[in-house]
Amino acid sequence: MVIRSKHLSLFGLFGCLALPAIWILHGFYIVDNNPVAVPVHQKLQLRLNLPKDVTDRDVIVKHYIHNLRTQLQDRINRSVIFIRNQEKHENTYKKRKEHLTKYCQKQAEDQTTLNTKIVRKHHWFLKEPRIMYCPVAKSGSTFWRRAFEVVRRKDPKVVSPFQLSYIDFKESNAKIPLNMTEAAHADDMSKLLETTLKFIFARDPYSRVFSTFIDKVLSPNRYMWSLGKKAIQMFRSSYTNGTETCGSDVTFDEYIKYLNTLNSKSFDVHLRPVAYCCDACSVDYDVIGKIETFQDDTRYILQKSGSYDRDIIFKDVNTEYKVDYIVDAVVRAFSFRNGWSRCISIHAGYQRLWRQLQIGGMIEKIDLYPLSAEQSNNITVTEYLNMALDAFKRSGPSAKANKKEAFLQAYSMVTLKDMENLREKYIADFEMFDYNQRPEELFKVNRDPVADFDYFDVMRMK
């Protein structure tokens, strides 16, 4: 399917509208003569006309999320289909536990003995309902941090994790401790664990490594550019000692090569294997969730805890997640601008942000970044946010393929030798959680990258 676009003026200096050549009629797309239901997000008014001088992260997030949930107020994520398939889901979790148990039975005794100090340090705990979670970065931990806070508050005005912003966790009265609360410091830890719903989330290591690169390296975010600097110094043939580099232009293959030089136990928390984050062989987790089935697993856990449709109520979780992602990415980029703009131009940074949203499947890859350098230098956070939400609103079903295309394109840069080394770094996670160690699409000799669009050209922009 080929979709072409025409770029039209949208709002003066600050935008152009890329309209896919898809006819929309009576609530359906007509794509290649086949009717496809119009996505929920295309029926919504997502942009807001906040004052241009509004920059407060908390204010912006809450206004846009409130606007979204108000429009979705008549929609409820019904769990009828999920309940109908309850037996199937129960069987899935049973198989996951059995697989992990078999793995753990082969390990040394010191890896299967309960260490109460580690359990207290690495888990979040709620007394009512009695639930315990081992957070793993880039595996749903941001969502669950907010979900725990919603359940803890029991505030009828705050019933969705997406209603909470980053600032909520900077205030002491809303900050969940990153270790267990006093109730979990009981002497009899084993008894506590027996009476608590315990869960963990894992993620395919290759997907997690890629996701970290997009959110912490490609995006306008200096968080991991120091890693990029070291990788460039070690592996870029054109680099000469003394040359100044921020590391912002590190390539995906250089990033992988550098990770392969490290002990995976010392990886940054966003990359550290789950095996070294959680005590999976000594804590008998009731539910082993996976990012690949995140919605089903989350619904199951919330239902088991009695929180689903009571403490936490979703309207349309797909739309809520995507709008939340866009709002957070844009506001975060503007908040951190003074830092990343020392390495790259404002114009380059905002193009990276646009590409981050394209790779995430929120914006069509053919919907090109519409601003000139001068316009980028003058745009405000709310203007950019409206521009991005407009692009999301006009995106069609094909945008979903962007992430997979970018994923395959990134790994096509990596040699098979480096792929094998990376596999070894995550061998415990592959074996513990039954992930394919050598997927054919990543390990075949002839790996052809997506040729019609370069997802990583923004890395070369200054």
Side-chain angles (χ1 to χ4, degrees):
M1 177 179 69
V2 177
I3 302 176
R4 297 181 175 84
S5 64
K6 295 180 180 179
H7 295 281
L8 306 173
S9 175
L10 179 59
F11 48 96
L13 292 176
F14 296 111
C16 296
L17 176 63
L19 293 173
I22 300 177
W23 292 95
I24 299 179
L25 183 65
H26 301 305
F28 288 90
Y29 279 104
I30 303 299
V31 182
D32 295 343
N33 297 319
N34 295 314
V36 181
V38 176
V40 173
H41 71 270
Q42 293 199 338
K43 304 174 185 178
L44 304 174
Q45 175 56 45
L46 299 174
R47 62 165 33 237
L48 289 178
N49 294 317
L50 293 180
K52 291 184 179 181
D53 59 351
V54 174
T55 59
D56 184 274
R57 187 172 185 172
D58 188 49
V59 172
I60 293 172
V61 171
K62 290 186 175 177
H63 269 81
Y64 277 91
I65 298 303
H66 175 74
N67 171 58
L68 173 65
R69 286 185 64 83
T70 298
Q71 294 183 68
L72 294 174
Q73 61 183 351
D74 294 329
R75 295 180 62 87
I76 296 292
N77 263 338
R78 301 296 181 188
S79 53
V80 175
I81 296 178
F82 184 88
I83 293 173
R84 191 182 302 152
N85 295 321
Q86 190 79 2
E87 184 176 344
K88 175 183 175 182
H89 292 294
E90 292 278 3
N91 190 47
T92 295
Y93 303 126
K94 180 181 178 182
K95 287 182 177 179
R96 289 177 184 175
K97 284 194 65 174
E98 290 174 346
H99 182 88
L100 179 58
T101 298
K102 289 180 181 178
Y103 169 85
C104 293
Q105 288 173 344
K106 301 175 184 177
Q107 307 310 305
E109 186 177 345
D110 62 342
Q111 294 186 42
T112 59
T113 303
L114 184 68
N115 186 320
T116 57
K117 183 178 180 181
I118 291 178
V119 171
R120 289 176 180 138
K121 181 180 179 181
H122 290 174
H123 291 76
W124 297 344
F125 178 87
L126 279 182
K127 188 176 181 180
E128 181 57 44
R130 210 170 183 82
I131 54 178
M132 188 179 86
Y133 163 60
C134 182
V136 177
K138 300 307 297 176
S139 297
S141 60
T142 297
F143 171 88
W144 280 107
R145 182 174 185 147
R146 295 192 288 184
F148 265 51
E149 176 61 13
V150 171
V151 174
R152 185 190 71 82
R153 284 190 188 189
K154 290 182 170 49
D155 180 350
K157 295 181 180 179
V158 181
V159 294
S160 168
F162 302 117
Q163 288 179 262
L164 299 179
S165 70
Y166 177 81
I167 200 66
D168 285 300
F169 299 95
K170 289 296 185 182
E171 300 172 359
S172 59
N173 65 340
K175 187 177 181 182
I176 295 177
L178 296 184
N179 55 7
M180 288 180 150
T181 55
E182 289 185 9
H185 287 265
D187 292 333
D188 192 350
M189 176 63 74
S190 58
K191 183 176 181 180
L192 177 75
L193 295 178
E194 288 175 4
T195 58
T196 301
L197 176 64
K198 306 169 292 299
F199 65 96
I200 184 176
F201 271 83
R203 183 175 190 172
D204 178 86
Y206 300 123
S207 171
R208 190 167 169 229
V209 168
F210 172 75
S211 179
T212 300
F213 182 82
I214 299 304
D215 288 350
K216 305 299 181 184
V217 180
L218 178 143
S219 73
N221 183 345
R222 292 182 68 192
Y223 179 81
M224 292 187 74
W225 287 359
S226 59
L227 179 153
K229 182 176 181 178
K230 294 175 183 177
I232 290 171
Q233 291 172 343
M234 291 179 67
F235 298 108
R236 186 167 297 179
S237 59
S238 61
Y239 176 80
T240 56
N241 288 333
T243 303
E244 187 62 33
T245 177
C246 278
S248 58
D249 61 333
V250 64
T251 60
F252 188 75
D253 60 313
E254 291 168 338
Y255 161 78
I256 297 299
K257 284 179 181 293
Y258 181 72
L259 291 183
N260 285 338
T261 68
L262 305 176
N263 185 321
S264 56
K265 290 184 179 180
S266 64
F267 277 179
D268 177 88
V269 66
H270 296 86
L271 294 163
R272 194 173 304 146
V274 181
Y276 304 134
C277 296
C278 303
D279 214 4
C281 282
S282 64
V283 176
D284 184 20
Y285 291 103
D286 300 291
V287 183
I288 299 168
K290 293 187 175 183
I291 283 296
E292 294 77 15
T293 53
F294 188 79
Q295 284 195 43
D296 282 347
D297 298 346
T298 294
R299 187 183 291 111
Y300 178 81
I301 291 165
L302 292 175
Q303 286 181 337
K304 291 282 283 187
S305 69
S307 300
Y308 191 76
D309 279 347
R310 189 188 70 176
D311 301 318
I312 292 183
I313 301 174
F314 295 113
K315 301 298 184 181
D316 185 291
V317 70
N318 278 322
T319 304
E320 289 182 83
Y321 163 73
K322 290 180 179 179
V323 171
D324 175 78
Y325 184 92
I326 293 169
V327 172
D328 181 71
V330 172
V331 176
R332 187 183 295 261
F334 275 77
S335 298
F336 296 164
R337 183 171 60 182
N338 288 340
W340 57 257
S341 61
R342 298 173 189 172
C343 295
I344 58 176
S345 68
I346 298 293
H347 188 50
Y350 290 160
Q351 288 182 82
R352 283 181 177 233
L353 173 59
W354 195 262
R355 184 57 49 79
Q356 177 188 2
L357 299 178
Q358 288 176 312
I359 292 174
M362 285 77 175
I363 298 177
E364 297 273 6
K365 67 180 180 182
I366 59 170
D367 201 341
L368 305 180
Y369 180 71
L371 305 185
S372 67
E374 181 181 356
Q375 291 166 348
S376 291
N377 289 335
N378 293 305
I379 196 169
T380 66
V381 59
T382 53
E383 287 172 331
Y384 193 110
L385 190 48
N386 283 335
M387 182 175 74
L389 288 170
D390 285 343
F392 167 59
K393 182 174 179 178
R394 62 181 176 260
S395 67
S398 62
K400 186 177 180 180
N402 293 358
K403 183 179 291 186
K404 186 61 177 290
E405 288 182 359
F407 173 81
L408 293 177
Q409 191 175 95
Y411 277 105
S412 71
M413 306 176 195
V414 183
T415 67
L416 290 179
K417 178 181 178 181
D418 287 328
M419 288 299 299
E420 285 291 349
N421 290 337
L422 182 64
R423 181 188 67 83
E424 286 292 334
K425 297 294 180 182
Y426 288 94
I427 190 67
D429 281 10
F430 283 119
E431 294 182 352
M432 291 173 77
F433 303 107
D434 198 21
Y435 284 111
N436 186 355
Q437 298 183 33
R438 293 187 181 89
E440 183 181 359
E441 60 189 7
L442 299 185
F443 279 80
K444 61 184 178 181
V445 176
N446 298 316
R447 293 168 294 158
D448 297 322
V450 178
D452 69 336
F453 190 84
D454 184 353
Y455 285 95
F456 302 98
D457 59 356
V458 293
M459 303 294 288
R460 301 185 288 274
M461 296 177 181
K462 299 295 185 182

